[in-house]
């Protein structure tokens, strides 16, 4: 009996909240409709002669009409000239590694035992991480890492960069019909591999891009660099009208495989895998009908002023002089704080009035009445239909699902991307978006929230709105496996 009462109360509370949300979000409609009906009824009561008398009583001066017209034209001109240009995502393409680069668990562990034969505890640590990682059997590593022991060279790293970047760009050009001479802006982001000449110069050389192209190469900015590149492209597209911006996001694994036995530095070996994406943005009005998405907001949060946040993802040498990425134990706590700061900024931009009022009332109540009141977590499901959470690891997805109170379906794209492709760094968001499209879930008007974390420490968000219902793509990284997903991912996979 108590259980039935609890269930009934929960249902009632749900409908009360739905009623509240509908009332607050449509408050203007509820206020204006009675006023408009009243005015219409009053007009209908008047006869034709009374209406004509009122019209004749109005005196229009020619000078006043000209001044009013000029003012309206002037204000309209200023408004449209100062209004930010719309930025459209025409299309994008993700790199799909060949099956020859596949690294099943058995292969990974066999290599670990041979490479770290003098450190069995490190091998056991990697096995425990892999068992709980959420990765599947089809993730890929570049050819140089398949050697025992790995002996990556600059030539190998360049070869991986060329394969990943050129394949993604070729696929994008094929999908969009884009020609190299059409590209006005080029942005390439890769955090850990920064050769000379730069990767952006490598792209310019390969595709013989124009000499007046605006090119940028971002490095050292971690897994959130993809959204930083989008933000930079957006700012440039506000300055240069009728332009195309090509953004390439990737992480080159070859030179960054850690060969030591420090546990905090072995973790990236277990999670990071090959991947990359090429994205075409434009501010051309004619692309509005063809483009898949329109960029609505980009919000960036940087916690680098705090020493712990700055060093929580840190490239360094171990006691034996081997270079690797050290992931701090405080990483999830710091990521949570960065997310809170980011949400505080993005919330007022995207949340409906009903959620903002609840948040405000709770905040006032905690300040004035009782500080122990539980803070209200806004329901971001009211603002977005789809969530693309950076597939940095199982713990990252779990934490965000819990903090944002998301359902399993909301984080499905992130979990399945981690399972199929691993942590592909800044490009993971685009594999997730591709998953949603491949499932046929993207409809016109849907809103998408991309959330990424990166060294420094940074939390960046991008909000997109779908321009048109996306047909299920016949090509892409999920082409040969989407029918198998979603798959059940156990808490622990015994190796």
């Amino acid at each position: 009996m108590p259980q039935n009462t609890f269930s009934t109360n929960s249902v009632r509370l749900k409908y009360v909240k739905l009623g509240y949300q509908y009332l607050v979000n449509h408050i203007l409609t509820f206020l204006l409709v009675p006023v408009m009906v009243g005015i219409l009824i009053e007009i209908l009561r008047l006869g034709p002669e009374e209406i004509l008398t009122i019209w004749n009583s109005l005196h229009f001066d020619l000078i006043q009409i000209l001044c009013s017209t000029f003012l309206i034209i002037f204000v309209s001109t200023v408004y449209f000239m100062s209004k930010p240009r719309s930025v459209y995502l025409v299309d994008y393409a993700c790199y799909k590694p060949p099956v020859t680069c596949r690294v099943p668990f058995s292969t990974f562990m066999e290599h670990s035992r041979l490479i770290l034969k003098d450190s069995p505890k490190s091998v056991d640590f990697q096995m425990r991480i892999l068992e709980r990682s959420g990765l599947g059997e089809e993730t890929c590593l570049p050819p140089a890492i398949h050697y025992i022991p790995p002996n990556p060279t600059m030539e190998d790293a360049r070869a991986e960069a060329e394969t990943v970047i050129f394949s993604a760009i070729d696929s994008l050009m094929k999908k969009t019909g884009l020609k190299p001479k059409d590209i006005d802006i080029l942005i390439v982001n890769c955090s850990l591999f920064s050769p000379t000449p730069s990767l952006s110069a490598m792209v310019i050389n390969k595709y013989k891009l124009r000499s007046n192209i605006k090119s940028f190469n971002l490095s050292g900015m971690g897994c959130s660099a993809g959204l930083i590149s989008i933000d930079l492209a957006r700012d440039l597209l506000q300055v240069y009208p009728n332009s195309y911006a090509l953004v390439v996001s990737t992480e080159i694994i070859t030179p960054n495989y850690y060969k030591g036995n420090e546990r905090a530095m072995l973790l990236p070996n277990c999670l990071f895998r090959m991947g990359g994406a090429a994205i075409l943005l434009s501010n051309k009005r004619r692309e509005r009908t063809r483009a898949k998405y329109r960029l609505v907001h980009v919000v960036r949060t940087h916690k680098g002023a705090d020493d712990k946040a700055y060093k929580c993802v840190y490239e360094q040498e171990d006691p034996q002089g081997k270079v690797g990425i050290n992931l701090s134990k405080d990483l999830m706590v710091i990521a949570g704080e960065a997310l809170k700061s980011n949400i505080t900024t993005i919330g007022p931009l995207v949340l409906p009035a009903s959620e903002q009022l609840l948040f405000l009332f709770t905040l006032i109540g905690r300040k004035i009445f009782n500080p122990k009141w539980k803070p209200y977590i806004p329901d971001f499901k009211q603002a977005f239909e789809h969530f693309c959470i950076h597939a940095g690891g199982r713990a990252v997805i779990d934490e965000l699902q819990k903090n944002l109170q998301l359902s399993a379906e909301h984080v499905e794209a992130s979990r399945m991307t981690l399972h199929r492709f691993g942590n592909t760094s800044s490009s993971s968001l685009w594999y997730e978006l591709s998953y949603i499209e491949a499932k046929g879930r993207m409809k016109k008007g849907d809103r998408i929230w991309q959330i990424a974390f990166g060294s420094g420490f940074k939390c960046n968000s991008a909000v997109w709105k779908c321009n048109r219902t996306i047909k299920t793509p016949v090509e892409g990284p999920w082409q040969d496996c989407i029918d198998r997903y979603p798959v059940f991912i156990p808490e622990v996979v015994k190796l």
Side-chain angles (χ1 to χ4, degrees):
M1 184 70 179
Q3 187 176 2
N4 292 335
T5 304
F6 176 77
S7 177
T8 304
N9 289 338
S10 298
V11 171
R12 286 175 181 170
L13 187 63
K14 175 184 175 183
Y15 282 110
V16 167
K17 187 174 181 181
L18 286 172
Y20 160 77
Q21 289 169 348
Y22 189 83
L23 176 64
V24 173
N25 295 338
H26 298 84
I27 189 68
L28 285 177
T29 304
F30 291 135
L31 291 174
L32 288 175
V33 166
V35 174
M36 297 300 293
V37 169
I39 292 172
L40 183 61
I41 291 172
E42 194 62 32
I43 291 173
L44 291 174
R45 283 179 179 175
L46 297 173
E49 293 181 359
E50 292 174 310
I51 295 173
L52 188 62
T53 303
I54 293 171
W55 175 260
N56 292 331
S57 66
L58 299 174
H59 299 285
F60 297 102
D61 184 79
L62 182 61
I63 301 297
Q64 289 179 342
I65 294 174
L66 290 175
C67 290
S68 299
T69 305
F70 174 77
L71 183 62
I72 292 170
I73 294 172
F74 176 75
V75 171
S76 301
T77 304
V78 171
Y79 171 76
F80 285 109
M81 288 185 67
S82 60
K83 185 182 177 181
R85 291 189 176 94
S86 294
V87 174
Y88 301 101
L89 193 162
V90 180
D91 213 331
Y92 64 96
C94 298
Y95 170 70
K96 184 179 179 182
V99 69
T100 52
C101 293
R102 192 169 66 92
V103 184
F105 293 154
S106 57
T107 302
F108 186 91
M109 291 313 305
E110 182 184 7
H111 282 219
S112 294
R113 291 186 185 98
L114 292 171
I115 295 167
L116 300 172
K117 57 186 176 182
D118 297 327
S119 183
K121 289 185 178 180
S122 296
V123 174
D124 291 340
F125 171 75
Q126 284 191 304
M127 184 170 70
R128 290 197 302 274
I129 293 297
L130 207 60
E131 287 176 338
R132 295 163 175 80
S133 65
L135 272 68
E137 296 275 9
E138 297 180 276
T139 62
C140 296
L141 284 171
I145 307 301
H146 288 253
Y147 288 96
I148 304 176
N151 186 28
T153 63
M154 175 63 78
E155 185 180 356
D156 293 330
R158 285 188 185 276
E160 182 193 349
E162 290 173 356
T163 301
V164 173
I165 293 174
F166 295 164
S167 297
I169 294 176
D170 288 346
S171 178
L172 179 64
M173 288 184 170
K174 181 181 176 182
K175 289 168 74 174
T176 60
L178 183 73
K179 297 178 181 177
K181 65 179 179 62
D182 297 330
I183 301 171
D184 305 285
I185 299 165
L186 172 66
I187 303 171
V188 179
N189 70 265
C190 178
S191 186
L192 294 172
F193 181 56
S194 184
T196 301
S198 65
L199 295 177
S200 59
M202 181 184 79
V203 173
I204 292 170
N205 177 259
K206 165 69 176 178
Y207 294 97
K208 311 305 177 190
L209 303 184
R210 303 197 319 253
S211 60
N212 64 341
I213 191 169
K214 283 78 180 173
S215 68
F216 302 85
N217 196 94
L218 306 183
S219 63
M221 306 196 81
C223 300
S224 66
L227 295 186
I228 295 174
S229 297
I230 295 294
D231 189 34
L232 175 58
R234 180 192 64 170
D235 290 344
L236 291 167
L237 288 170
Q238 298 306 313
V239 179
Y240 300 102
N242 297 314
S243 299
Y244 284 112
L246 174 62
V247 175
V248 180
S249 292
T250 188
E251 190 59 78
I252 303 306
I253 306 297
T254 298
N256 301 301
Y257 188 85
Y258 175 61
K259 292 178 281 187
N261 53 24
E262 290 290 320
R263 292 189 178 186
M265 300 168 77
L266 282 169
L267 194 56
N269 286 1
C270 300
L271 298 176
F272 282 88
R273 296 293 185 265
M274 287 180 80
I279 305 100
L280 180 63
L281 302 175
S282 180
N283 55 13
K284 297 187 177 186
R285 289 186 180 179
R286 70 168 182 264
E287 291 292 359
R288 180 168 49 187
T289 54
R290 180 172 73 136
K292 286 186 172 181
Y293 306 96
R294 178 175 62 85
L295 182 60
V296 183
H297 301 292
V298 178
V299 174
R300 293 167 56 182
T301 303
H302 206 307
K303 308 294 284 187
D306 179 74
D307 290 342
K308 281 188 177 180
Y310 174 68
K311 289 197 172 183
C312 72
V313 181
Y314 202 75
E315 187 175 19
Q316 63 184 50
E317 292 178 333
D318 67 9
Q320 287 73 44
K322 295 175 181 176
V323 178
I325 305 297
N326 189 315
L327 300 182
S328 167
K329 292 179 180 178
D330 300 323
L331 178 59
M332 292 312 303
V333 175
I334 292 164
E337 291 299 320
L339 178 65
K340 286 178 185 176
S341 299
N342 195 268
I343 283 176
T344 304
T345 305
I346 201 171
L349 299 174
V350 299
L351 286 170
S354 58
E355 291 300 308
Q356 295 195 45
L357 279 175
L358 282 175
F359 181 78
L360 179 63
F361 291 154
T362 308
L363 184 64
I364 293 171
R366 294 182 72 208
K367 293 287 185 183
I368 298 175
F369 301 109
N370 188 355
K372 293 183 179 180
W373 278 8
K374 187 178 179 181
Y376 178 72
I377 299 173
D379 185 3
F380 280 93
K381 298 186 290 294
Q382 297 291 323
F384 303 105
E385 284 73 34
H386 307 287
F387 297 80
C388 294
I389 300 167
H390 167 54
R394 188 178 210 148
V396 175
I397 301 171
D398 288 345
E399 192 69 18
L400 264 73
Q401 181 180 6
K402 177 184 173 183
N403 289 343
L404 298 176
Q405 299 177 349
L406 303 178
S407 68
E409 186 176 346
H410 286 124
V411 296
E412 181 184 312
S414 301
R415 291 196 190 280
M416 298 308 113
T417 295
L418 181 66
H419 182 270
R420 174 61 183 85
F421 295 100
N423 181 352
T424 59
S425 189
S426 59
S427 64
S428 67
L429 298 174
W430 304 105
Y431 288 90
E432 294 166 20
L433 194 61
S434 181
Y435 178 89
I436 298 169
E437 292 181 4
K439 280 293 182 183
R441 297 173 183 169
M442 193 64 71
K443 309 298 180 186
K444 183 178 180 180
D446 282 1
R447 297 155 297 178
I448 307 98
W449 186 12
Q450 292 181 320
I451 314 170
F453 299 93
S455 58
F457 189 83
K458 298 179 286 292
C459 175
N460 298 328
S461 292
V463 177
W464 303 87
K465 189 168 185 179
C466 186
N467 262 3
R468 54 183 173 85
T469 299
I470 308 296
K471 295 180 181 179
T472 304
V474 294
E475 296 181 351
W478 298 94
Q479 176 187 356
D480 61 347
C481 62
I482 191 62
D483 293 335
R484 291 190 277 115
Y485 283 91
V487 297
F488 172 71
I489 304 174
E491 288 293 324
V492 179
V493 178
K494 283 297 179 183
L495 301 181

